[in-house]
Amino acid sequence: MKTANNLCADIGYLSINHTGEQLCGDHVEIVEPEDGDSTIVVLADGLGSGVKANILSTLTANMLSTMMLNRLPIDECIETVASTLPMCRERKLAYSTFTLACFTDSTVRLVQYDNPDAVLLRNGKNYAYDTGIHFIGEKKICESTISLMENDMLVLMTDGITNAGIGKLSPGGWKREEVIEFLERWYTPDISPQNLAARLVEAGNVLCMDSNDDDMTALVFKVRPRRAIN
């Protein structure tokens, strides 16, 4: 993934299915326009698990990435998807949640809808980025624009991570501050985004005693200097 100032970003992610399901209810979509000046990443989480959740998350991620790829205004893309996705009347939950990350130069525009808040590690420590909130109908949309620096790591996740261990080794789930502490503990300047994503998902699975009640996905971006290969 290209950025400015001789920097680029590596991407790594890992998903594991709800125990007993053949299909994952989380979906990752990564696309780049032909001009190569940006990268669009969508992490979507369908309600429930299995086939239905897989269809919902795939549809959401494909809709968002396709509209962004066609250079529709980001607000219009979000409004279209948010208004298209119904709410579950019984559980009062969206049928699919999502996190959209649009990278241009060394800046990322982050749009989050009901997924756990993304974590930004800067110099190995949690960095509190600014977030604006607005509503589309009943849907709360959180938006941030972040200027990235070398070795920054941006961690996206679905609620299978933050709910890990409920009723088992972590009765109240894996709280955000505990997830941040875990990420800070494992961070090193040399760790790859794939390695950190795998460690996060594996730790969530341990809290579930290897019998997870939801799909889990962690997606990590790492900003690094561009290296020429001859």
Side-chain angles (χ1 to χ4, degrees), residues 100-116:
L100 166 67
C102 185
F103 292 85
T104 305
D105 296 328
S106 56
T107 299
V108 59
R109 185 172 182 184
L110 196 61
V111 181
Q112 307 181 80
Y113 170 49
D114 270 6
N115 271 346

mmCIF file of all heavy atoms in Angstrom, residues 100-116:
data_model
loop_
_atom_site.group_PDB
_atom_site.id
_atom_site.type_symbol
_atom_site.label_atom_id
_atom_site.label_comp_id
_atom_site.label_asym_id
_atom_site.label_seq_id
_atom_site.Cartn_x
_atom_site.Cartn_y
_atom_site.Cartn_z
ATOM 1 N N LEU A 100 -14.336 1.292 7.893
ATOM 2 C CA LEU A 100 -13.785 1.674 6.592
ATOM 3 C C LEU A 100 -12.529 2.494 6.835
ATOM 4 O O LEU A 100 -12.543 3.458 7.603
ATOM 5 C CB LEU A 100 -14.807 2.499 5.806
ATOM 6 C CG LEU A 100 -14.301 3.267 4.576
ATOM 7 C CD1 LEU A 100 -13.863 2.306 3.480
ATOM 8 C CD2 LEU A 100 -15.379 4.220 4.062
ATOM 9 N N ALA A 101 -11.427 2.103 6.204
ATOM 10 C CA ALA A 101 -10.178 2.852 6.284
ATOM 11 C C ALA A 101 -9.764 3.230 4.867
ATOM 12 O O ALA A 101 -9.560 2.355 4.022
ATOM 13 C CB ALA A 101 -9.088 2.031 6.956
ATOM 14 N N CYS A 102 -9.662 4.529 4.612
ATOM 15 C CA CYS A 102 -9.269 5.029 3.293
ATOM 16 C C CYS A 102 -7.929 5.739 3.424
ATOM 17 O O CYS A 102 -7.836 6.797 4.058
ATOM 18 C CB CYS A 102 -10.340 5.980 2.761
ATOM 19 S SG CYS A 102 -10.029 6.533 1.078
ATOM 20 N N PHE A 103 -6.891 5.139 2.837
ATOM 21 C CA PHE A 103 -5.538 5.679 2.933
ATOM 22 C C PHE A 103 -5.213 6.504 1.699
ATOM 23 O O PHE A 103 -5.323 6.024 0.566
ATOM 24 C CB PHE A 103 -4.522 4.545 3.057
ATOM 25 C CG PHE A 103 -4.608 3.800 4.353
ATOM 26 C CD1 PHE A 103 -5.507 2.760 4.508
ATOM 27 C CD2 PHE A 103 -3.797 4.132 5.420
ATOM 28 C CE1 PHE A 103 -5.599 2.070 5.696
ATOM 29 C CE2 PHE A 103 -3.880 3.448 6.614
ATOM 30 C CZ PHE A 103 -4.781 2.414 6.757
ATOM 31 N N THR A 104 -4.788 7.746 1.916
ATOM 32 C CA THR A 104 -4.329 8.621 0.845
ATOM 33 C C THR A 104 -3.080 9.333 1.338
ATOM 34 O O THR A 104 -3.103 9.965 2.397
ATOM 35 C CB THR A 104 -5.393 9.659 0.456
ATOM 36 O OG1 THR A 104 -6.607 8.985 0.118
ATOM 37 C CG2 THR A 104 -4.946 10.473 -0.739
ATOM 38 N N ASP A 105 -1.997 9.255 0.567
ATOM 39 C CA ASP A 105 -0.708 9.782 1.013
ATOM 40 C C ASP A 105 -0.380 9.149 2.367
ATOM 41 O O ASP A 105 -0.436 7.950 2.513
ATOM 42 C CB ASP A 105 -0.736 11.311 1.072
ATOM 43 C CG ASP A 105 -0.946 11.918 -0.318
ATOM 44 O OD1 ASP A 105 -0.467 11.305 -1.294
ATOM 45 O OD2 ASP A 105 -1.576 12.975 -0.414
ATOM 46 N N SER A 106 -0.055 9.966 3.386
ATOM 47 C CA SER A 106 0.260 9.414 4.708
ATOM 48 C C SER A 106 -0.865 9.695 5.695
ATOM 49 O O SER A 106 -0.650 9.847 6.896
ATOM 50 C CB SER A 106 1.573 10.012 5.230
ATOM 51 O OG SER A 106 1.498 11.428 5.254
ATOM 52 N N THR A 107 -2.093 9.745 5.189
ATOM 53 C CA THR A 107 -3.268 10.026 6.011
ATOM 54 C C THR A 107 -4.282 8.904 5.848
ATOM 55 O O THR A 107 -4.451 8.363 4.760
ATOM 56 C CB THR A 107 -3.915 11.358 5.584
ATOM 57 O OG1 THR A 107 -2.970 12.417 5.769
ATOM 58 C CG2 THR A 107 -5.153 11.660 6.419
ATOM 59 N N VAL A 108 -4.950 8.554 6.942
ATOM 60 C CA VAL A 108 -6.027 7.580 6.874
ATOM 61 C C VAL A 108 -7.303 8.241 7.371
ATOM 62 O O VAL A 108 -7.316 8.926 8.394
ATOM 63 C CB VAL A 108 -5.720 6.310 7.701
ATOM 64 C CG1 VAL A 108 -5.480 6.637 9.170
ATOM 65 C CG2 VAL A 108 -6.849 5.293 7.569
ATOM 66 N N ARG A 109 -8.371 8.069 6.613
ATOM 67 C CA ARG A 109 -9.694 8.492 7.058
ATOM 68 C C ARG A 109 -10.414 7.240 7.529
ATOM 69 O O ARG A 109 -10.604 6.290 6.764
ATOM 70 C CB ARG A 109 -10.471 9.178 5.951
ATOM 71 C CG ARG A 109 -11.825 9.731 6.449
ATOM 72 C CD ARG A 109 -12.514 10.582 5.422
ATOM 73 N NE ARG A 109 -13.770 11.112 5.948
ATOM 74 C CZ ARG A 109 -14.619 11.846 5.218
ATOM 75 N NH1 ARG A 109 -14.334 12.153 3.970
ATOM 76 N NH2 ARG A 109 -15.737 12.287 5.769
ATOM 77 N N LEU A 110 -10.809 7.246 8.778
ATOM 78 C CA LEU A 110 -11.375 6.078 9.435
ATOM 79 C C LEU A 110 -12.845 6.324 9.722
ATOM 80 O O LEU A 110 -13.206 7.331 10.337
ATOM 81 C CB LEU A 110 -10.609 5.831 10.736
ATOM 82 C CG LEU A 110 -10.717 4.494 11.450
ATOM 83 C CD1 LEU A 110 -10.207 3.373 10.553
ATOM 84 C CD2 LEU A 110 -9.910 4.546 12.742
ATOM 85 N N VAL A 111 -13.703 5.416 9.238
ATOM 86 C CA VAL A 111 -15.138 5.511 9.477
ATOM 87 C C VAL A 111 -15.573 4.219 10.159
ATOM 88 O O VAL A 111 -15.384 3.133 9.613
ATOM 89 C CB VAL A 111 -15.921 5.708 8.168
ATOM 90 C CG1 VAL A 111 -17.411 5.829 8.450
ATOM 91 C CG2 VAL A 111 -15.427 6.941 7.427
ATOM 92 N N GLN A 112 -16.157 4.344 11.362
ATOM 93 C CA GLN A 112 -16.481 3.176 12.163
ATOM 94 C C GLN A 112 -17.967 3.166 12.519
ATOM 95 O O GLN A 112 -18.491 4.155 13.020
ATOM 96 C CB GLN A 112 -15.634 3.165 13.435
ATOM 97 C CG GLN A 112 -14.134 3.287 13.145
ATOM 98 C CD GLN A 112 -13.272 3.243 14.397
ATOM 99 O OE1 GLN A 112 -12.993 2.166 14.930
ATOM 100 N NE2 GLN A 112 -12.837 4.391 14.858
ATOM 101 N N TYR A 113 -18.596 2.020 12.262
ATOM 102 C CA TYR A 113 -20.004 1.857 12.586
ATOM 103 C C TYR A 113 -20.198 0.591 13.386
ATOM 104 O O TYR A 113 -20.201 -0.512 12.846
ATOM 105 C CB TYR A 113 -20.855 1.842 11.312
ATOM 106 C CG TYR A 113 -22.300 1.450 11.548
ATOM 107 C CD1 TYR A 113 -23.055 2.047 12.558
ATOM 108 C CD2 TYR A 113 -22.908 0.468 10.794
ATOM 109 C CE1 TYR A 113 -24.363 1.666 12.794
ATOM 110 C CE2 TYR A 113 -24.227 0.085 11.009
ATOM 111 C CZ TYR A 113 -24.945 0.693 12.019
ATOM 112 O OH TYR A 113 -26.243 0.311 12.257
ATOM 113 N N ASP A 114 -20.286 0.735 14.689
ATOM 114 C CA ASP A 114 -20.622 -0.338 15.640
ATOM 115 C C ASP A 114 -19.581 -1.437 15.768
ATOM 116 O O ASP A 114 -19.805 -2.402 16.503
ATOM 117 C CB ASP A 114 -21.981 -0.954 15.306
ATOM 118 C CG ASP A 114 -23.117 -0.230 16.038
ATOM 119 O OD1 ASP A 114 -22.836 0.789 16.686
ATOM 120 O OD2 ASP A 114 -24.266 -0.683 15.947
ATOM 121 N N ASN A 115 -18.451 -1.347 15.076
ATOM 122 C CA ASN A 115 -17.337 -2.237 15.373
ATOM 123 C C ASN A 115 -16.569 -1.668 16.569
ATOM 124 O O ASN A 115 -16.672 -0.471 16.849
ATOM 125 C CB ASN A 115 -16.392 -2.353 14.171
ATOM 126 C CG ASN A 115 -16.783 -3.456 13.217
ATOM 127 O OD1 ASN A 115 -17.601 -4.321 13.529
ATOM 128 N ND2 ASN A 115 -16.207 -3.450 12.028
ATOM 129 N N PRO A 116 -15.796 -2.488 17.278
ATOM 130 C CA PRO A 116 -14.953 -1.934 18.345
ATOM 131 C C PRO A 116 -14.040 -0.844 17.789
ATOM 132 O O PRO A 116 -13.571 -0.926 16.650
ATOM 133 C CB PRO A 116 -14.138 -3.149 18.815
ATOM 134 C CG PRO A 116 -14.985 -4.324 18.455
ATOM 135 C CD PRO A 116 -15.669 -3.955 17.174
#
